[in-house]
Amino acid sequence: MTNAQILAACRSNWEYRGIDDASMREMLDELSAHLEDAEAAGRTAQDVVGGNVRTFAAAWARARAPLPRRVLRAASIGCYFAGWVLLIPYLTRWTTQLDVTPGNLSFWVVLAAVTVAWNLRRGSLGLLRSWGVALLVALPAGILVDWLAGDGPLFTLPLWAPPLLLLPGLPYAVADARARKNAAAADAA
């Protein structure tokens, strides 16, 4: 493998494992420096990362961000996106309460499950493609459940619920946005 392929494999592994952008950039810079030093010393990239790049990247990710911290980050970001998705019907319907029907609930649960399962199994396709695949499964599931269970509301969700879901992921979203801005500024310089 070339150095670029090793860096790309590590980046995708770290994205999959939920390493934040700032840490990932720092880790990639450090790995790139080690690979260049090894090349200058006449060693191969396999001497730096070992026989399996994925194992190397996974071990470094576990050392950098332990599982409880990664789970907390993933749950917070999941709540953040769920809050934005839930806020859309309130804004489009200009209402302060949202009736949740069995079809709506099954649609969003299947959409989330397929998106997560696809990303865990296949890796990241990008947000638009992974949601496209999930929509192909979630839409028929929502229609089927709506047809079988009816469209009576299960419960009513008040307007304060989506902003409440946004709160846990807000610090992570701000930190990621700052890291991307700093990375863009560093690349421009």
Side-chain angles (χ1 to χ4, degrees):
M1 288 184 100
T2 66
N3 289 355
Q5 290 171 329
I6 290 172
L7 291 172
C10 287
R11 174 188 290 277
S12 68
N13 191 294
W14 294 333
E15 284 175 350
Y16 163 74
R17 294 180 182 282
I19 303 295
D20 63 281
D21 289 341
S23 296
M24 189 182 332
R25 185 165 178 81
E26 182 181 321
M27 292 163 70
L28 286 169
D29 290 344
E30 186 176 340
L31 178 58
S32 178
H34 284 301
L35 290 171
E36 289 171 5
D37 290 345
E39 191 175 288
R43 296 185 351 226
T44 66
Q46 299 336 36
D47 294 335
V48 176
V49 298
N52 190 339
V53 177
R54 288 183 180 179
T55 304
F56 168 79
W60 199 356
R62 281 191 299 274
R64 184 68 177 221
L67 181 63
R69 192 168 61 174
R70 290 194 322 258
V71 167
L72 176 65
R73 180 183 180 349
S76 298
I77 293 293
C79 286
Y80 181 76
F81 284 117
W84 280 113
V85 167
L86 274 175
L87 196 57
I88 292 169
Y90 288 99
L91 297 175
T92 58
R93 296 177 188 164
W94 289 98
T95 183
T96 59
Q97 293 185 353
L98 185 65
D99 290 335
V100 179
T101 64
N104 290 348
L105 188 61
S106 66
F107 172 80
W108 290 111
V109 167
V110 170
L111 182 77
V114 169
T115 302
V116 169
W118 186 270
N119 285 336
L120 289 177
R121 181 76 179 128
R122 297 280 186 195
S124 179
L125 285 175
L127 186 63
L128 290 178
R129 275 194 241 152
S130 65
W131 274 44
V133 168
L135 277 173
L136 288 176
V137 177
L139 196 57
I143 291 170
L144 180 66
V145 168
D146 216 12
W147 180 67
L148 291 173
D151 59 351
L154 293 173
F155 57 91
T156 302
L157 201 61
L159 180 60
W160 55 263
L164 190 64
L165 285 171
L166 290 171
L167 289 177
L170 198 57
Y172 293 109
V174 169
D176 285 351
R178 284 184 181 165
R180 279 191 294 275
K181 181 181 174 187
N182 291 341
D187 289 340

